[in-house]
């Protein structure tokens, strides 16, 4: 019964937000009628939404969508834009290599797979969209650890304890940070069966107009099929997506 009540509150909240999205600005009575709620119920829910910044109230007492909700919307829009910009490049890279191409974002101490273009081969690596992996076991994760302050890698190692996923996982903090410095200088990184036995990856970073690393682009394949000659087209694909996001910095990565 309590669960049903909680769901009912969410349904009422959504109805009020939908009314605000439709009207742009509205008073309590209008919103309550649109949502099919008593004014006192609508007022309580709107007051709670206002506390979280999802709804704002004007000087005349009317309501509008708040900046807190708009921030969530802007984050979602950026991710959608990134995926739309990246997909044609990812598809071309998949067609060139014949292997699965992934787009990942960093969330705290993990990478999250947000888009993929799957290999057409019968034996292939297939990451599930929405799945996560620790930074230290992935190619792009190592590159992401190289961004920011120099002590960031060691802080990550202390914070996570560097759990092992396979016998190849780097579990020594100093060794990991040495690898992170190396890959940061060369602009690409490998996963040599560190997250899963039999799987090898190559990764690069994607940057926005400000030069910030906003995503990772990687090729995943059975380890015996991974090829070093994919590095150059992968770097070029990362640059192409970065340029679509407004990045104009010079490529500092050496030729391979």
């Amino acid at each position: 019964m309590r669960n049903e009540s909680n769901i009912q509150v969410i349904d009422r909240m959504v109805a009020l937000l939908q009314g605000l999205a439709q009207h742009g600005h509205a008073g309590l009575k209008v919103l309550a009628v649109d949502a099919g709620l008593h004014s006192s119920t609508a007022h309580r829910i709107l007051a709670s939404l206002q506390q979280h910044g999802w709804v704002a109230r004007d000087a005349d007492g009317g309501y509008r969508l708040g900046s807190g909700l708009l921030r969530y919307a802007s984050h979602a829009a950026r991710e959608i834009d990134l995926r739309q910009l990246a997909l044609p490049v990812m598809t071309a890279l998949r067609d060139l290599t014949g292997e699965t191409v992934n787009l990942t974002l960093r969330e705290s101490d993990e990478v999250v797979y947000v888009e993929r273009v799957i290999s057409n081969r019968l034996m292939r690596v297939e990451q599930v969209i929405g799945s996560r992996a620790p930074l230290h076991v992935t190619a792009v994760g190592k590159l992401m650890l190289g961004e920011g302050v120099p002590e960031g890698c060691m802080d990550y190692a202390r914070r996570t304890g560097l759990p092992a996923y396979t016998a190849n996982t780097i579990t020594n903090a100093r060794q990991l940070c040495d690898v992170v410095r190396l890959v940061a200088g060369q602009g690409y990184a490998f996963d040599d069966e560190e997250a899963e036995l039999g799987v090898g990856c190559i990764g690069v970073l994607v940057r926005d107009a400000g030069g910030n690393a906003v995503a990772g682009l990687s090729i995943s394949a059975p380890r015996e099929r991974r090829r070093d000659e994919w590095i150059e087209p992968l770097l070029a694909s990362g640059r192409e997506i970065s340029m679509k996001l407004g990045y104009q910095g010079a490529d500092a990565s050496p030729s391979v």
Side-chain angles (χ1 to χ4, degrees), residues 125 127 136-139 142 163-171 189-202 219-226:
V125 177
Q127 301 290 358
H136 68 288
V137 304
T138 66
K142 296 187 188 81
Y165 280 64
T166 73
N168 297 323
T169 302
I170 300 174
T171 57
F190 294 105
D191 159 18
D192 288 316
E193 300 183 82
E194 297 163 56
E196 185 175 351
L197 290 176
V199 176
C201 300
I202 311 174
I219 303 171
S220 297
R223 179 61 185 87
E224 66 272 13
R225 290 209 309 252
R226 196 187 71 189

Side-chain angles (χ1 to χ4, degrees), residues 205-226:
L205 293 177
V206 173
R207 300 186 182 277
D208 63 12
N212 304 300
V214 294
L217 184 70
S218 62
I219 303 171
S220 297
R223 179 61 185 87
E224 66 272 13
R225 290 209 309 252
R226 196 187 71 189

